[in-house]
């Protein structure tokens, strides 16, 4: 037990660890004397004891939990929606524990609920063992846990447990923003065993079969934020590969096989919309992003709107050129200008995506080393590709000068026979 930073490995199958933990935490409860139900979450080294005073809706609780998670939360109810949660994290001076009562409307970040009456008896941080200790009473909190019980089983309280990611959150702010949990589970308190005088007292320890465990076969469920991961990976692909490739195609195949650009642009657009969906889903889960006002979100939405316009713009442009060609006419004079605006706007959008992926990594509090790694890759892509673009631009300019007044084929010219070589002259 010397190195306890072992993450969330399934270790619950070794009963001796219970004893080890008990000894380690010097956890001393008189279970023979007082009515207490205790939850052991060995995967996250947490012990939580509960007691309900007779004829009362209050809950006394005593929690011992590591301080390396962003928070540890105990919830009253079977699901997060509309239930009460007590979110515990170290105080700013790391001498005590901030216990923040919160409520969530759905499976979203809970917000501070000031009308909850919490009586904190004692909290402390045991720096040596990296533990937070909380001894408190939650007044009139029991109904949140028994609200949905059928009348026959009303003597059990449905409870939840969760821990946050391994990030530091040392603050006294009761409404501090927290991240999505990395692991969670449900458990039940047997109120017949937990109801009694005496609270959770100190004294000698002993094993008792009336301990609560996380219910279900899965026990502590590891949670991964798949939507956020998908959003990040898809946009990194867009910024580092899809968008530059599309620009490359647009530049290289401007005179011949221009339809390929139509294809890559469609893929690009599909990627951007596909990556937007999980981003919006994640945004709605967190208080800080629910109003879509962070820099990352504003810039991202701006880029998506601009790209949508440019996608339609590009289709319209090639349609104008196509119909002019069909009539055997030169495309109208202003299509040059429209084309130039299209090119430069799309280049700007690409840079926006490059920057915004970095902002997204920052917003989701990824490790600095990852952010710097991304910045290095993004810079490398720019440094490699800008000279290539410049060459392409030079070549195509020279090509156009040579071709003189010969009209350029557009995206749709080759749709019917693109495999056959299509020579206009
Ligand atoms: C376990 O708890 C029950 C009731 O809560 C009590 O009667 C019993 O003595 C306890 N056993 C031990 C070993 O503490
Ligand atoms: C928790 O606080 C109560 C009230 O002050 C006290 O009686 C009890 O002994 C404390 N429990 C523990 C385990 O420290």
């Amino acid at each position: 037990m010397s190195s306890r930073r072992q993450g969330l490995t399934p270790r619950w199958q070794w009963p001796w660890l219970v004893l080890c933990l008990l000894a380690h935490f010097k956890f001393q409860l008189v279970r023979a004397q007082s009515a207490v139900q205790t939850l052991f979450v060995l995967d996250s080294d947490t012990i939580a004891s509960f007691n309900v005073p007779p004829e009362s809706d209050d809950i006394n609780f005593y929690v011992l939990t590591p301080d390396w998670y962003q928070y540890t939360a105990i919830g009253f109810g079977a699901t997060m929606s509309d239930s009460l949660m007590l979110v515990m994290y170290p105080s700013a001076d790391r001498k005590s524990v901030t216990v923040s009562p919160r409520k969530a409307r759905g499976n979203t970040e809970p917000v501070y609920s000031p009308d909850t009456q919490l009586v904190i008896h004692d909290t402390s941080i045991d720096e040596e063992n990296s533990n937070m200790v909380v001894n408190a009473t939650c007044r009139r909190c029991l109904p949140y846990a028994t609200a949905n019980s059928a009348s026959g089983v009303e003597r059990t309280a449905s409870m939840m447990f969760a821990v946050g990611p391994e990030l530091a959150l040392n603050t006294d702010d009761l409404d501090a923003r927290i991240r999505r949990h990395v692991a969670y589970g449900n458990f039940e308190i047997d109120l017949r065993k937990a109801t009694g005088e005496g609270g959770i007292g100190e004294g000698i320890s002993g094993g008792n079969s009336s301990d609560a465990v996380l219910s279900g076969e899965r026990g502590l469920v590891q949670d991964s934020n798949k939507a956020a991961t998908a959003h990040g990976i898809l946009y990194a692909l867009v910024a580092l590969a899809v968008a530059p490739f599309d620009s490359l195609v647009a530049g290289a195949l401007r005179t011949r096989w221009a339809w390929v650009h139509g294809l890559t642009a469609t893929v690009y657009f599909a990627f951007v919309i596909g990556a937007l969906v999980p981003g919006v889903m994640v945004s709605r889960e967190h208080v800080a992003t629910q109003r879509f006002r962070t820099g990352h979100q504003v810039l991202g939405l701006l880029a998506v709107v601009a790209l949508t316009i440019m996608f339609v713009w590009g289709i319209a442009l090639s349609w104008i050129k196509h119909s002019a060609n069909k009539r055997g006419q030169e495309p109208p004079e202003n299509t040059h200008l429209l084309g130039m605006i299209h090119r430069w706007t799309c280049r700007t959008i690409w840079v926006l995506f490059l920057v915004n992926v970095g902002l997204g990594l920052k917003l989701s509090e990824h490790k600095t080393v990852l952010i710097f790694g991304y910045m290095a890759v993004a810079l490398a892509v720019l440094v490699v590709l800008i000279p290539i673009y410049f060459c392409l631009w030079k070549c195509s300019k020279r090509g156009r000068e040579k071709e003189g007044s010969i009209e350029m084929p557009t995206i749709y010219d080759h749709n019917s026979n693109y495999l056959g070589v299509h020579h206009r002259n």
Side-chain angles (χ1 to χ4, degrees), residues 29-37 192-194 205-210:
L29 293 176
V30 192
R31 287 209 208 86
Q33 286 172 17
S34 56
V36 172
Q37 275 259 285
R192 284 165 307 183
K193 290 177 183 159
S205 72
N208 200 305
S209 60
S210 70

Side-chain angles (χ1 to χ4, degrees), residues 29 62 121 135 200-202:
L29 293 176
Y62 184 91
H121 306 305
N135 179 6
I200 303 167
E202 289 168 278

Side-chain angles (χ1 to χ4, degrees), residues 30-37 50-56 58-60 142 155 189-201:
V30 192
R31 287 209 208 86
Q33 286 172 17
S34 56
V36 172
Q37 275 259 285
F50 303 91
N51 163 260
V52 178
E55 310 294 320
S56 151
D58 299 350
I59 289 192
N60 298 315
L142 196 55
R155 294 318 290 167
I189 299 175
D190 187 334
L191 293 178
R192 284 165 307 183
K193 290 177 183 159
T195 306
E197 302 279 358
I200 303 167

Side-chain angles (χ1 to χ4, degrees), residues 253-275:
L253 306 178
R254 200 182 298 174
T255 49
R256 229 178 246 185
W257 294 1
W259 60 270
V260 179
H261 173 44
L263 208 69
T264 54
T266 307
V267 171
Y268 178 14
F269 186 60
F271 253 88
V272 165
I273 299 299

Side-chain angles (χ1 to χ4, degrees), residues 18-19 27 48 63 110 123 159 182 185 194 222 274 277 287 292 297-298 345 374 379 404:
V18 179
L19 298 172
F27 190 71
V63 180
T123 73
M159 304 288 290
V182 292
Q222 305 228 10
V277 174
V287 174
F292 292 91
Q297 291 170 299
V298 171
T345 312
Y374 169 77
L379 267 177

